[in-house]
Amino acid sequence: MKPGLTGNMAGALLMLLGMAAFAGNDAIGKWLVADYGVAQVILLRSLAAGLIMAPLLMRGGRVLDRIRSAPRPRLQALRAFCATAEVFCFYLAVSSMPLADVMAFWMAAPIYVVAISPFLLGEHVGKRTWVAVAVGFTGVLILLAPSLQISGTGAFFALLGTAAFAAIMVLGRSLRETADRDLVFFQLAAATLAGLALAPFDWQPVQSGSDLALLFLLGVVATAAHMLVTRALKLADASVVAPLQYSLLVWGAAFGFLVFGDVPAPAMLIGAFLIVVSGLIVLRR
């Protein structure tokens, strides 16, 4: 067995499990926002995730000291704001659009990052990569046309959320010196504050114990998904695990069909195919 093969295999398995967990998290969220306010779902999700991650978060020392010593505080605040906007937009989008369609929009985020990286990060992008970016944008436009007809508001939030997700990725590159647990802490804190501010305006009494369990499970599954993906990236080469993120589309289509009865439309399949091809070319180059 070649050196590193075990690590790559383990990393690939964890990445696939992480994508399945993310899809499960998204399906639970879509189910819940049909009966509860988006801010309420995000607030309870954030509180549950905070409880699960409390032991890890407490290892970094006192909270106030970590906030004061955080490098580049303005960028930290901007990233936390974008992360909160991204999750709000996602749940607002899936409340009126099929799950797989929304996930396909989110898969285009790395393409946006490549498109803006020369301007914000000073990175060089070759001609062939620009062609791949153009293919990816074509896929987004194919997705967008029927989505605007079915749910213009949902498509708007999907585009806005994808842009916020791309901003998170770009800002993450600029904040690489910040510990992962601190990035998670700032992100959870921002989502919790936003939930506390907005949830009272659309608060719905929890209807059953099963719904309460789902609200808590949402935070648990989201935390598990982040931990699985983070561990996968540490165990395996990025070139091995990064393409596996597109398995999220398969999981999304499966959950969408089994739970909500969504059947992928031809435009969604074509658009998602172009986005995946574009993303794989960008990753390879």
Side-chain angles (χ1 to χ4, degrees):
M1 185 176 291
K2 295 181 180 180
L5 183 59
T6 301
N8 281 338
M9 290 178 64
L13 178 60
L14 291 176
M15 176 61 79
L16 289 173
L17 290 174
M19 292 300 102
F22 271 122
N25 168 81
D26 297 340
I28 295 171
K30 179 176 173 61
W31 180 277
L32 289 170
V33 295
D35 297 316
Y36 302 99
V38 171
Q40 179 181 358
V41 170
I42 290 174
L43 173 61
L44 297 177
R45 170 186 183 266
S46 301
L47 292 175
L51 288 174
I52 297 298
M53 298 199 67
L56 176 62
L57 296 174
M58 291 174 65
R59 292 181 185 177
R62 296 176 57 186
V63 172
L64 290 178
D65 291 339
R66 288 157 66 183
I67 294 176
R68 293 193 192 100
S69 62
R72 312 180 77 174
R74 291 183 180 179
L75 286 185
Q76 299 281 2
L78 179 59
R79 182 185 179 278
F81 172 81
C82 290
T84 302
E86 183 264 338
V87 71
F88 267 87
C89 287
F90 183 88
Y91 286 132
L92 288 168
V94 295
S95 66
S96 58
M97 289 175 61
L99 185 61
D101 289 36
V102 179
M103 287 183 175
F105 275 104
W106 253 253
M107 289 296 96
I111 302 169
Y112 298 167
V113 172
V114 174
I116 63 178
S117 60
F119 310 103
L120 296 183
L121 300 174
E123 297 179 356
H124 174 71
V125 177
K127 293 181 180 179
R128 293 182 182 178
T129 304
W130 279 118
V131 172
V133 169
V135 171
F137 278 125
T138 302
V140 171
L141 292 176
I142 292 174
L143 278 174
L144 184 60
S147 298
L148 283 173
Q149 296 175 2
I150 297 172
S151 175
T153 303
F156 169 77
F157 282 120
L159 286 173
L160 191 61
T162 308
F165 187 46
I168 295 169
M169 298 172 71
V170 172
L171 290 167
R173 293 190 190 184
S174 302
L175 296 170
R176 282 173 290 191
E177 68 274 16
T178 306
D180 290 345
R181 63 172 178 267
D182 289 341
L183 290 175
V184 171
F185 168 71
F186 298 142
Q187 187 170 326
L188 284 176
T192 302
L193 291 174
L196 286 171
L198 298 175
F201 296 100
D202 191 22
W203 186 271
Q204 303 295 327
V206 179
Q207 300 174 7
S208 64
S210 59
D211 282 0
L212 184 61
L214 283 176
L215 286 164
F216 182 80
L217 182 62
L218 189 64
V220 175
V221 174
T223 302
H226 282 291
M227 294 177 68
L228 286 167
V229 171
T230 300
R231 187 61 179 168
L233 291 169
K234 290 182 178 180
L235 284 176
D237 297 334
S239 59
V240 173
V241 296
L244 298 178
Q245 67 179 319
Y246 294 108
S247 65
L248 184 63
L249 288 172
V250 178
W251 286 111
F255 277 115
F257 177 74
L258 294 174
V259 180
F260 306 103
D262 296 332
V263 178
M268 179 270 165
L269 296 175
I270 295 172
F273 174 76
L274 292 176
I275 289 171
V276 170
V277 169
S278 172
L280 292 176
I281 294 173
V282 168
L283 285 170
R284 184 174 182 275
R285 295 196 64 81

